[in-house]
Amino acid sequence: MAGKEGFDLVVVANRLPVDFTVSDDGDVSWNRSPGGLVTALEPVMQAADGAWVGWSGAPDLEVEPLDADDMRLVPVTLSAEEIERYYEGFSNDTLWPLYHDVIAPPTYHRTWWDSYHRVNQRFADAAVEQAAHGATVWIHDYQLQLVPKMIREQRPDLRIGFFNHIPFPPLELFQQLPWRRRVIDGLLGADLVGFQRAGDAANFIRAVRRLRAYTTRGPMITVPDEDGRERHVRAAAFPISIDSRRFDELARQPEIQHRAREIRSDLGDPEIMMLGVDRLDYTKGIRHRIKAYGELLQDGRLDVEHATLVQVASPSRENVGAYQDLREHVEGAVGRINGEYAEIGHAAIHYLHHSYPPEEMAAMYLAADVMLVTSLRDGMNLVAKEYVAARSDDRGVLVLSEFTGAADEMAAGALLVNPHDIDGMKDMIVAAAHMDTREQRKRMRRLRRRVLADDVARWSESFLGVLTAMPSRVPRSTGPARSASSEERDT
C-alpha cells in the first residue's frame, strides 16, 4: 500500500465497498459488499495503488482506515442527524425526485442543504489527505456534487473526474433548486463530468450556459480560474454496464439451471412467467406495471392458469415518506389483484419484498419468459442488462421503458414501451408473452452481443482513459467569450 506520498487513484463514493457490523462487546468487523462499481474499479485500483473514501453505512461509527483486497478503505463518519439530513433528506428527498423528472415533489430545507455542504466537505478533506501529488480522484454520484470544487480548491495538482449515476434534469426543472449555481460550480471543479446518456450531458451544459454563462463548444466548457488562467471541463456520456461475463457464466452452471426449473415448478409451471426486479422506488414504474397486468387479467387477454407475474421489490429508503406510501400502494394493489383473480395453486402476482444474491437472481432471470422493466425515469437500469447477460439460452423477451438509459443501447432487441401509456404497455406485454421462439432468439442475440461486449470494465477504462487525456489548464483566451442569449441568462 502507499506510503507517505499517498495514493495514485482515489475513489470517492457515498458508501464503502464493505459492510461494517458492531458486536455487543463493541468489536467492529466487516464483510465485503460486492456491487457493480466495486467490480468495475477493483482491478484498476489494485493496479494503480488505490484508496476508496466512503461512509461506513452505520451512524456515529468511527473506524480507522484499513486495507482490503489491495485497496485502502477510508471510512467517513456520519452522525445520525447527518444521515437524516444529508442522506435521507437532501440527497434522497430533494435531489433524487428533482433529478427524476419530479415524479414525486422535491422538498427544500436549508438545514438539509447545510448538512449536505458540511458532509461533502468532509468527504473532500478525506480524499485530499489520501491523494498523492498529481493523482487521479474519481467522485461518484449525486450525494457528492460539491466535492470536485472542494478538492480542487485544496489540490489543483489533482486530476478530478465525476460520474453521475442518475439522470441530470432539464434546465426548467433544475432551476427549482435554490442552490443550483453552487451545485453547478461544485461539478465544474472536475476535469471530466460523466453521465449515463448524451441527453443528461446536454442538460448539464445548458444549465452551465444559463446559470454561469461560460463558453461552451460541444462537450467542452471553458471555466475561468482565479489565477487568470482557464480550464477545460468535458461533459459527456459514458453509459455504465455490468459484469456481464459473470452473469453469463452463472446462467451456464447446472445448479443455476436446476434452480431455474425449480422456481417454475414452485410457481405451478406456468406457460408464461413474467418478472419484475426493482428497488421499491417510485421511479421504477412498479405501480404502472401492476396496473397494466391487472387489466390484462380483467380483459381476459392473460389468465392465471397460464401466466404469472413475479415482482421482486427490494427494500429501499424506508425512512422516507414517499417510499412508505409507495409500499402501501403496491402491496395493496397486489392484494386486490390476487384476491380477485388468483386460484388455488395459481397466484396472479408473487410479490417478494426481499433482496437476493446474484446466484438466485441469475436463476430467476433464466426462469422468466418476459422481463418487465417499466421505469418512469432511470439513469441506466442494470437489471435489463443482467437479464440479457443471464440468457445464455438466447431465449426470453425484454420489455423496456424508453425512459431508461438502457433503451439507448438496447432498442434493437427490446420491446420499448412508454409506461405512462397503459394500453400501449398492455399490448407490448401480450406481444412479449406470445412471441415465437425464432423471433426471441433473433432479438436476444442482438442484445447479448451488445451487453457482453460493453461490460463494466470497459466503462471504467473508457472514463479513466478520457480523464487521463484531458489537458490541465490553458492560457486565458483574448477573444470575446460566448455570451448567453436572453433565453439563457438567469433572471
PDB file of all heavy atoms in Angstrom, residues 113-144:
ATOM      1  N   TRP A 113     -29.593  21.390   3.238  1.00  0.00           N
ATOM      2  CA  TRP A 113     -28.505  21.873   2.394  1.00  0.00           C
ATOM      3  C   TRP A 113     -27.240  22.111   3.220  1.00  0.00           C
ATOM      4  O   TRP A 113     -26.134  21.748   2.799  1.00  0.00           O
ATOM      5  CB  TRP A 113     -28.910  23.158   1.682  1.00  0.00           C
ATOM      6  CG  TRP A 113     -27.725  23.888   1.123  1.00  0.00           C
ATOM      7  CD1 TRP A 113     -27.101  24.983   1.642  1.00  0.00           C
ATOM      8  CD2 TRP A 113     -26.975  23.541  -0.058  1.00  0.00           C
ATOM      9  NE1 TRP A 113     -26.035  25.358   0.864  1.00  0.00           N
ATOM     10  CE2 TRP A 113     -25.931  24.483  -0.190  1.00  0.00           C
ATOM     11  CE3 TRP A 113     -27.094  22.527  -1.007  1.00  0.00           C
ATOM     12  CZ2 TRP A 113     -25.016  24.444  -1.240  1.00  0.00           C
ATOM     13  CZ3 TRP A 113     -26.178  22.493  -2.062  1.00  0.00           C
ATOM     14  CH2 TRP A 113     -25.159  23.446  -2.163  1.00  0.00           C
ATOM     15  N   ASP A 114     -27.387  22.710   4.384  1.00  0.00           N
ATOM     16  CA  ASP A 114     -26.218  22.960   5.238  1.00  0.00           C
ATOM     17  C   ASP A 114     -25.514  21.652   5.586  1.00  0.00           C
ATOM     18  O   ASP A 114     -24.278  21.568   5.578  1.00  0.00           O
ATOM     19  CB  ASP A 114     -26.643  23.671   6.520  1.00  0.00           C
ATOM     20  CG  ASP A 114     -27.115  25.102   6.263  1.00  0.00           C
ATOM     21  OD1 ASP A 114     -26.779  25.661   5.194  1.00  0.00           O
ATOM     22  OD2 ASP A 114     -27.834  25.651   7.131  1.00  0.00           O
ATOM     23  N   SER A 115     -26.287  20.622   5.888  1.00  0.00           N
ATOM     24  CA  SER A 115     -25.711  19.322   6.210  1.00  0.00           C
ATOM     25  C   SER A 115     -25.035  18.703   4.986  1.00  0.00           C
ATOM     26  O   SER A 115     -23.946  18.130   5.082  1.00  0.00           O
ATOM     27  CB  SER A 115     -26.789  18.380   6.749  1.00  0.00           C
ATOM     28  OG  SER A 115     -26.240  17.139   7.128  1.00  0.00           O
ATOM     29  N   TYR A 116     -25.674  18.830   3.825  1.00  0.00           N
ATOM     30  CA  TYR A 116     -25.104  18.324   2.574  1.00  0.00           C
ATOM     31  C   TYR A 116     -23.755  18.982   2.306  1.00  0.00           C
ATOM     32  O   TYR A 116     -22.760  18.304   1.976  1.00  0.00           O
ATOM     33  CB  TYR A 116     -26.077  18.607   1.437  1.00  0.00           C
ATOM     34  CG  TYR A 116     -25.691  18.085   0.070  1.00  0.00           C
ATOM     35  CD1 TYR A 116     -25.934  16.756  -0.287  1.00  0.00           C
ATOM     36  CD2 TYR A 116     -25.111  18.929  -0.877  1.00  0.00           C
ATOM     37  CE1 TYR A 116     -25.604  16.285  -1.547  1.00  0.00           C
ATOM     38  CE2 TYR A 116     -24.780  18.465  -2.144  1.00  0.00           C
ATOM     39  CZ  TYR A 116     -25.028  17.142  -2.474  1.00  0.00           C
ATOM     40  OH  TYR A 116     -24.698  16.689  -3.731  1.00  0.00           O
ATOM     41  N   HIS A 117     -23.682  20.292   2.454  1.00  0.00           N
ATOM     42  CA  HIS A 117     -22.430  21.019   2.236  1.00  0.00           C
ATOM     43  C   HIS A 117     -21.361  20.561   3.227  1.00  0.00           C
ATOM     44  O   HIS A 117     -20.206  20.311   2.850  1.00  0.00           O
ATOM     45  CB  HIS A 117     -22.682  22.525   2.374  1.00  0.00           C
ATOM     46  CG  HIS A 117     -21.496  23.366   2.063  1.00  0.00           C
ATOM     47  ND1 HIS A 117     -20.510  23.629   2.990  1.00  0.00           N
ATOM     48  CD2 HIS A 117     -21.121  24.011   0.924  1.00  0.00           C
ATOM     49  CE1 HIS A 117     -19.579  24.390   2.444  1.00  0.00           C
ATOM     50  NE2 HIS A 117     -19.935  24.640   1.185  1.00  0.00           N
ATOM     51  N   ARG A 118     -21.740  20.434   4.476  1.00  0.00           N
ATOM     52  CA  ARG A 118     -20.788  20.051   5.521  1.00  0.00           C
ATOM     53  C   ARG A 118     -20.247  18.638   5.288  1.00  0.00           C
ATOM     54  O   ARG A 118     -19.034  18.392   5.409  1.00  0.00           O
ATOM     55  CB  ARG A 118     -21.467  20.155   6.884  1.00  0.00           C
ATOM     56  CG  ARG A 118     -20.556  19.910   8.066  1.00  0.00           C
ATOM     57  CD  ARG A 118     -21.222  20.340   9.358  1.00  0.00           C
ATOM     58  NE  ARG A 118     -22.536  19.729   9.548  1.00  0.00           N
ATOM     59  CZ  ARG A 118     -23.688  20.386   9.440  1.00  0.00           C
ATOM     60  NH1 ARG A 118     -23.707  21.659   9.119  1.00  0.00           N
ATOM     61  NH2 ARG A 118     -24.838  19.765   9.653  1.00  0.00           N
ATOM     62  N   VAL A 119     -21.116  17.703   4.936  1.00  0.00           N
ATOM     63  CA  VAL A 119     -20.681  16.328   4.706  1.00  0.00           C
ATOM     64  C   VAL A 119     -19.824  16.232   3.441  1.00  0.00           C
ATOM     65  O   VAL A 119     -18.819  15.520   3.413  1.00  0.00           O
ATOM     66  CB  VAL A 119     -21.899  15.388   4.625  1.00  0.00           C
ATOM     67  CG1 VAL A 119     -21.482  14.004   4.137  1.00  0.00           C
ATOM     68  CG2 VAL A 119     -22.578  15.284   5.990  1.00  0.00           C
ATOM     69  N   ASN A 120     -20.198  16.958   2.390  1.00  0.00           N
ATOM     70  CA  ASN A 120     -19.376  16.970   1.177  1.00  0.00           C
ATOM     71  C   ASN A 120     -17.960  17.456   1.486  1.00  0.00           C
ATOM     72  O   ASN A 120     -16.983  16.926   0.951  1.00  0.00           O
ATOM     73  CB  ASN A 120     -20.015  17.835   0.102  1.00  0.00           C
ATOM     74  CG  ASN A 120     -20.970  17.088  -0.804  1.00  0.00           C
ATOM     75  OD1 ASN A 120     -20.812  17.033  -2.021  1.00  0.00           O
ATOM     76  ND2 ASN A 120     -22.000  16.486  -0.215  1.00  0.00           N
ATOM     77  N   GLN A 121     -17.845  18.475   2.343  1.00  0.00           N
ATOM     78  CA  GLN A 121     -16.513  18.964   2.714  1.00  0.00           C
ATOM     79  C   GLN A 121     -15.720  17.891   3.441  1.00  0.00           C
ATOM     80  O   GLN A 121     -14.505  17.756   3.237  1.00  0.00           O
ATOM     81  CB  GLN A 121     -16.649  20.206   3.589  1.00  0.00           C
ATOM     82  CG  GLN A 121     -15.321  20.897   3.881  1.00  0.00           C
ATOM     83  CD  GLN A 121     -14.725  21.526   2.641  1.00  0.00           C
ATOM     84  OE1 GLN A 121     -15.298  22.429   2.049  1.00  0.00           O
ATOM     85  NE2 GLN A 121     -13.547  21.036   2.230  1.00  0.00           N
ATOM     86  N   ARG A 122     -16.383  17.096   4.260  1.00  0.00           N
ATOM     87  CA  ARG A 122     -15.685  16.024   4.989  1.00  0.00           C
ATOM     88  C   ARG A 122     -15.166  14.962   4.020  1.00  0.00           C
ATOM     89  O   ARG A 122     -14.052  14.472   4.164  1.00  0.00           O
ATOM     90  CB  ARG A 122     -16.640  15.407   6.013  1.00  0.00           C
ATOM     91  CG  ARG A 122     -15.956  14.511   7.037  1.00  0.00           C
ATOM     92  CD  ARG A 122     -16.940  14.054   8.099  1.00  0.00           C
ATOM     93  NE  ARG A 122     -17.631  15.198   8.667  1.00  0.00           N
ATOM     94  CZ  ARG A 122     -18.854  15.158   9.180  1.00  0.00           C
ATOM     95  NH1 ARG A 122     -19.540  14.030   9.179  1.00  0.00           N
ATOM     96  NH2 ARG A 122     -19.400  16.231   9.688  1.00  0.00           N
ATOM     97  N   PHE A 123     -15.984  14.607   3.029  1.00  0.00           N
ATOM     98  CA  PHE A 123     -15.522  13.653   2.021  1.00  0.00           C
ATOM     99  C   PHE A 123     -14.341  14.233   1.242  1.00  0.00           C
ATOM    100  O   PHE A 123     -13.361  13.531   0.959  1.00  0.00           O
ATOM    101  CB  PHE A 123     -16.661  13.324   1.050  1.00  0.00           C
ATOM    102  CG  PHE A 123     -17.565  12.219   1.504  1.00  0.00           C
ATOM    103  CD1 PHE A 123     -18.628  12.474   2.362  1.00  0.00           C
ATOM    104  CD2 PHE A 123     -17.372  10.917   1.067  1.00  0.00           C
ATOM    105  CE1 PHE A 123     -19.479  11.455   2.776  1.00  0.00           C
ATOM    106  CE2 PHE A 123     -18.212   9.896   1.472  1.00  0.00           C
ATOM    107  CZ  PHE A 123     -19.269  10.157   2.327  1.00  0.00           C
ATOM    108  N   ALA A 124     -14.427  15.516   0.875  1.00  0.00           N
ATOM    109  CA  ALA A 124     -13.348  16.145   0.116  1.00  0.00           C
ATOM    110  C   ALA A 124     -12.055  16.164   0.918  1.00  0.00           C
ATOM    111  O   ALA A 124     -10.973  15.851   0.382  1.00  0.00           O
ATOM    112  CB  ALA A 124     -13.759  17.567  -0.273  1.00  0.00           C
ATOM    113  N   ASP A 125     -12.142  16.519   2.186  1.00  0.00           N
ATOM    114  CA  ASP A 125     -10.948  16.554   3.025  1.00  0.00           C
ATOM    115  C   ASP A 125     -10.299  15.180   3.140  1.00  0.00           C
ATOM    116  O   ASP A 125      -9.068  15.056   3.106  1.00  0.00           O
ATOM    117  CB  ASP A 125     -11.300  17.077   4.416  1.00  0.00           C
ATOM    118  CG  ASP A 125     -11.746  18.545   4.409  1.00  0.00           C
ATOM    119  OD1 ASP A 125     -11.489  19.231   3.399  1.00  0.00           O
ATOM    120  OD2 ASP A 125     -12.354  18.971   5.411  1.00  0.00           O
ATOM    121  N   ALA A 126     -11.128  14.154   3.269  1.00  0.00           N
ATOM    122  CA  ALA A 126     -10.590  12.794   3.366  1.00  0.00           C
ATOM    123  C   ALA A 126      -9.894  12.385   2.077  1.00  0.00           C
ATOM    124  O   ALA A 126      -8.840  11.733   2.097  1.00  0.00           O
ATOM    125  CB  ALA A 126     -11.719  11.814   3.699  1.00  0.00           C
ATOM    126  N   ALA A 127     -10.463  12.762   0.931  1.00  0.00           N
ATOM    127  CA  ALA A 127      -9.858  12.424  -0.353  1.00  0.00           C
ATOM    128  C   ALA A 127      -8.530  13.149  -0.541  1.00  0.00           C
ATOM    129  O   ALA A 127      -7.542  12.564  -0.998  1.00  0.00           O
ATOM    130  CB  ALA A 127     -10.809  12.770  -1.490  1.00  0.00           C
ATOM    131  N   VAL A 128      -8.501  14.419  -0.186  1.00  0.00           N
ATOM    132  CA  VAL A 128      -7.276  15.209  -0.311  1.00  0.00           C
ATOM    133  C   VAL A 128      -6.152  14.605   0.516  1.00  0.00           C
ATOM    134  O   VAL A 128      -4.993  14.540   0.091  1.00  0.00           O
ATOM    135  CB  VAL A 128      -7.554  16.665   0.112  1.00  0.00           C
ATOM    136  CG1 VAL A 128      -6.266  17.418   0.372  1.00  0.00           C
ATOM    137  CG2 VAL A 128      -8.383  17.376  -0.941  1.00  0.00           C
ATOM    138  N   GLU A 129      -6.498  14.138   1.689  1.00  0.00           N
ATOM    139  CA  GLU A 129      -5.497  13.561   2.583  1.00  0.00           C
ATOM    140  C   GLU A 129      -4.886  12.281   2.014  1.00  0.00           C
ATOM    141  O   GLU A 129      -3.729  11.957   2.282  1.00  0.00           O
ATOM    142  CB  GLU A 129      -6.139  13.276   3.948  1.00  0.00           C
ATOM    143  CG  GLU A 129      -5.163  12.814   5.006  1.00  0.00           C
ATOM    144  CD  GLU A 129      -5.830  12.638   6.364  1.00  0.00           C
ATOM    145  OE1 GLU A 129      -6.931  13.186   6.553  1.00  0.00           O
ATOM    146  OE2 GLU A 129      -5.238  11.946   7.218  1.00  0.00           O
ATOM    147  N   GLN A 130      -5.642  11.554   1.197  1.00  0.00           N
ATOM    148  CA  GLN A 130      -5.170  10.273   0.670  1.00  0.00           C
ATOM    149  C   GLN A 130      -4.444  10.398  -0.674  1.00  0.00           C
ATOM    150  O   GLN A 130      -3.730   9.487  -1.066  1.00  0.00           O
ATOM    151  CB  GLN A 130      -6.358   9.313   0.498  1.00  0.00           C
ATOM    152  CG  GLN A 130      -7.094   8.975   1.776  1.00  0.00           C
ATOM    153  CD  GLN A 130      -6.221   8.297   2.805  1.00  0.00           C
ATOM    154  OE1 GLN A 130      -5.381   7.470   2.453  1.00  0.00           O
ATOM    155  NE2 GLN A 130      -6.413   8.630   4.069  1.00  0.00           N
ATOM    156  N   ALA A 131      -4.641  11.488  -1.391  1.00  0.00           N
ATOM    157  CA  ALA A 131      -4.172  11.583  -2.772  1.00  0.00           C
ATOM    158  C   ALA A 131      -2.711  11.981  -2.855  1.00  0.00           C
ATOM    159  O   ALA A 131      -2.269  12.949  -2.230  1.00  0.00           O
ATOM    160  CB  ALA A 131      -5.025  12.596  -3.540  1.00  0.00           C
ATOM    161  N   ALA A 132      -1.962  11.237  -3.668  1.00  0.00           N
ATOM    162  CA  ALA A 132      -0.583  11.597  -3.961  1.00  0.00           C
ATOM    163  C   ALA A 132      -0.550  12.814  -4.883  1.00  0.00           C
ATOM    164  O   ALA A 132      -1.569  13.187  -5.488  1.00  0.00           O
ATOM    165  CB  ALA A 132       0.130  10.421  -4.622  1.00  0.00           C
ATOM    166  N   HIS A 133       0.618  13.436  -5.015  1.00  0.00           N
ATOM    167  CA  HIS A 133       0.741  14.570  -5.927  1.00  0.00           C
ATOM    168  C   HIS A 133       0.455  14.107  -7.352  1.00  0.00           C
ATOM    169  O   HIS A 133       0.986  13.113  -7.822  1.00  0.00           O
ATOM    170  CB  HIS A 133       2.156  15.162  -5.850  1.00  0.00           C
ATOM    171  CG  HIS A 133       2.323  16.353  -6.749  1.00  0.00           C
ATOM    172  ND1 HIS A 133       1.863  17.608  -6.402  1.00  0.00           N
ATOM    173  CD2 HIS A 133       2.859  16.469  -8.000  1.00  0.00           C
ATOM    174  CE1 HIS A 133       2.126  18.453  -7.385  1.00  0.00           C
ATOM    175  NE2 HIS A 133       2.730  17.794  -8.363  1.00  0.00           N
ATOM    176  N   GLY A 134      -0.438  14.848  -8.042  1.00  0.00           N
ATOM    177  CA  GLY A 134      -0.775  14.513  -9.417  1.00  0.00           C
ATOM    178  C   GLY A 134      -1.676  13.307  -9.566  1.00  0.00           C
ATOM    179  O   GLY A 134      -1.855  12.797 -10.676  1.00  0.00           O
ATOM    180  N   ALA A 135      -2.295  12.861  -8.469  1.00  0.00           N
ATOM    181  CA  ALA A 135      -3.143  11.663  -8.502  1.00  0.00           C
ATOM    182  C   ALA A 135      -4.455  11.941  -9.236  1.00  0.00           C
ATOM    183  O   ALA A 135      -4.825  13.081  -9.518  1.00  0.00           O
ATOM    184  CB  ALA A 135      -3.438  11.185  -7.086  1.00  0.00           C
ATOM    185  N   THR A 136      -5.149  10.852  -9.538  1.00  0.00           N
ATOM    186  CA  THR A 136      -6.487  10.922 -10.119  1.00  0.00           C
ATOM    187  C   THR A 136      -7.522  10.661  -9.020  1.00  0.00           C
ATOM    188  O   THR A 136      -7.389   9.688  -8.272  1.00  0.00           O
ATOM    189  CB  THR A 136      -6.652   9.887 -11.239  1.00  0.00           C
ATOM    190  OG1 THR A 136      -5.767  10.218 -12.313  1.00  0.00           O
ATOM    191  CG2 THR A 136      -8.082   9.854 -11.757  1.00  0.00           C
ATOM    192  N   VAL A 137      -8.524  11.530  -8.933  1.00  0.00           N
ATOM    193  CA  VAL A 137      -9.620  11.348  -7.975  1.00  0.00           C
ATOM    194  C   VAL A 137     -10.911  11.195  -8.770  1.00  0.00           C
ATOM    195  O   VAL A 137     -11.235  12.037  -9.612  1.00  0.00           O
ATOM    196  CB  VAL A 137      -9.727  12.547  -7.008  1.00  0.00           C
ATOM    197  CG1 VAL A 137     -10.878  12.337  -6.030  1.00  0.00           C
ATOM    198  CG2 VAL A 137      -8.416  12.745  -6.254  1.00  0.00           C
ATOM    199  N   TRP A 138     -11.638  10.107  -8.499  1.00  0.00           N
ATOM    200  CA  TRP A 138     -12.890   9.841  -9.218  1.00  0.00           C
ATOM    201  C   TRP A 138     -14.040   9.838  -8.218  1.00  0.00           C
ATOM    202  O   TRP A 138     -14.125   8.971  -7.350  1.00  0.00           O
ATOM    203  CB  TRP A 138     -12.808   8.497  -9.958  1.00  0.00           C
ATOM    204  CG  TRP A 138     -13.927   8.286 -10.943  1.00  0.00           C
ATOM    205  CD1 TRP A 138     -14.945   9.127 -11.221  1.00  0.00           C
ATOM    206  CD2 TRP A 138     -14.119   7.139 -11.780  1.00  0.00           C
ATOM    207  NE1 TRP A 138     -15.776   8.587 -12.178  1.00  0.00           N
ATOM    208  CE2 TRP A 138     -15.290   7.373 -12.545  1.00  0.00           C
ATOM    209  CE3 TRP A 138     -13.430   5.948 -11.967  1.00  0.00           C
ATOM    210  CZ2 TRP A 138     -15.786   6.455 -13.456  1.00  0.00           C
ATOM    211  CZ3 TRP A 138     -13.903   5.019 -12.876  1.00  0.00           C
ATOM    212  CH2 TRP A 138     -15.076   5.272 -13.632  1.00  0.00           C
ATOM    213  N   ILE A 139     -14.912  10.827  -8.341  1.00  0.00           N
ATOM    214  CA  ILE A 139     -16.029  11.019  -7.410  1.00  0.00           C
ATOM    215  C   ILE A 139     -17.305  10.502  -8.056  1.00  0.00           C
ATOM    216  O   ILE A 139     -17.527  10.694  -9.260  1.00  0.00           O
ATOM    217  CB  ILE A 139     -16.173  12.523  -7.074  1.00  0.00           C
ATOM    218  CG1 ILE A 139     -14.859  13.069  -6.516  1.00  0.00           C
ATOM    219  CG2 ILE A 139     -17.309  12.761  -6.089  1.00  0.00           C
ATOM    220  CD1 ILE A 139     -14.549  14.470  -6.954  1.00  0.00           C
ATOM    221  N   HIS A 140     -18.155   9.866  -7.248  1.00  0.00           N
ATOM    222  CA  HIS A 140     -19.341   9.205  -7.787  1.00  0.00           C
ATOM    223  C   HIS A 140     -20.627   9.715  -7.152  1.00  0.00           C
ATOM    224  O   HIS A 140     -20.790   9.724  -5.940  1.00  0.00           O
ATOM    225  CB  HIS A 140     -19.238   7.686  -7.567  1.00  0.00           C
ATOM    226  CG  HIS A 140     -18.217   7.046  -8.444  1.00  0.00           C
ATOM    227  ND1 HIS A 140     -18.503   6.509  -9.678  1.00  0.00           N
ATOM    228  CD2 HIS A 140     -16.883   6.893  -8.276  1.00  0.00           C
ATOM    229  CE1 HIS A 140     -17.404   6.035 -10.222  1.00  0.00           C
ATOM    230  NE2 HIS A 140     -16.404   6.262  -9.393  1.00  0.00           N
ATOM    231  N   ASP A 141     -21.518  10.155  -8.002  1.00  0.00           N
ATOM    232  CA  ASP A 141     -22.953  10.283  -7.784  1.00  0.00           C
ATOM    233  C   ASP A 141     -23.402  11.535  -7.045  1.00  0.00           C
ATOM    234  O   ASP A 141     -22.635  12.311  -6.514  1.00  0.00           O
ATOM    235  CB  ASP A 141     -23.524   9.027  -7.139  1.00  0.00           C
ATOM    236  CG  ASP A 141     -24.792   8.568  -7.841  1.00  0.00           C
ATOM    237  OD1 ASP A 141     -25.248   9.235  -8.786  1.00  0.00           O
ATOM    238  OD2 ASP A 141     -25.333   7.517  -7.456  1.00  0.00           O
ATOM    239  N   TYR A 142     -24.737  11.672  -7.067  1.00  0.00           N
ATOM    240  CA  TYR A 142     -25.422  12.908  -6.716  1.00  0.00           C
ATOM    241  C   TYR A 142     -25.259  13.299  -5.263  1.00  0.00           C
ATOM    242  O   TYR A 142     -25.474  14.462  -4.897  1.00  0.00           O
ATOM    243  CB  TYR A 142     -26.913  12.775  -7.054  1.00  0.00           C
ATOM    244  CG  TYR A 142     -27.627  11.683  -6.272  1.00  0.00           C
ATOM    245  CD1 TYR A 142     -28.461  11.989  -5.202  1.00  0.00           C
ATOM    246  CD2 TYR A 142     -27.476  10.335  -6.600  1.00  0.00           C
ATOM    247  CE1 TYR A 142     -29.128  11.007  -4.491  1.00  0.00           C
ATOM    248  CE2 TYR A 142     -28.132   9.347  -5.905  1.00  0.00           C
ATOM    249  CZ  TYR A 142     -28.948   9.676  -4.850  1.00  0.00           C
ATOM    250  OH  TYR A 142     -29.583   8.686  -4.143  1.00  0.00           O
ATOM    251  N   GLN A 143     -24.874  12.364  -4.392  1.00  0.00           N
ATOM    252  CA  GLN A 143     -24.689  12.717  -2.989  1.00  0.00           C
ATOM    253  C   GLN A 143     -23.462  13.608  -2.779  1.00  0.00           C
ATOM    254  O   GLN A 143     -23.331  14.249  -1.732  1.00  0.00           O
ATOM    255  CB  GLN A 143     -24.525  11.454  -2.127  1.00  0.00           C
ATOM    256  CG  GLN A 143     -25.696  10.494  -2.188  1.00  0.00           C
ATOM    257  CD  GLN A 143     -25.450   9.362  -3.177  1.00  0.00           C
ATOM    258  OE1 GLN A 143     -24.589   9.478  -4.065  1.00  0.00           O
ATOM    259  NE2 GLN A 143     -26.180   8.265  -3.037  1.00  0.00           N
ATOM    260  N   LEU A 144     -22.565  13.671  -3.767  1.00  0.00           N
ATOM    261  CA  LEU A 144     -21.261  14.319  -3.572  1.00  0.00           C
ATOM    262  C   LEU A 144     -20.945  15.340  -4.663  1.00  0.00           C
ATOM    263  O   LEU A 144     -19.805  15.491  -5.091  1.00  0.00           O
ATOM    264  CB  LEU A 144     -20.161  13.241  -3.531  1.00  0.00           C
ATOM    265  CG  LEU A 144     -20.342  12.158  -2.465  1.00  0.00           C
ATOM    266  CD1 LEU A 144     -19.283  11.074  -2.620  1.00  0.00           C
ATOM    267  CD2 LEU A 144     -20.279  12.758  -1.057  1.00  0.00           C
TER     268      LEU A 144
END
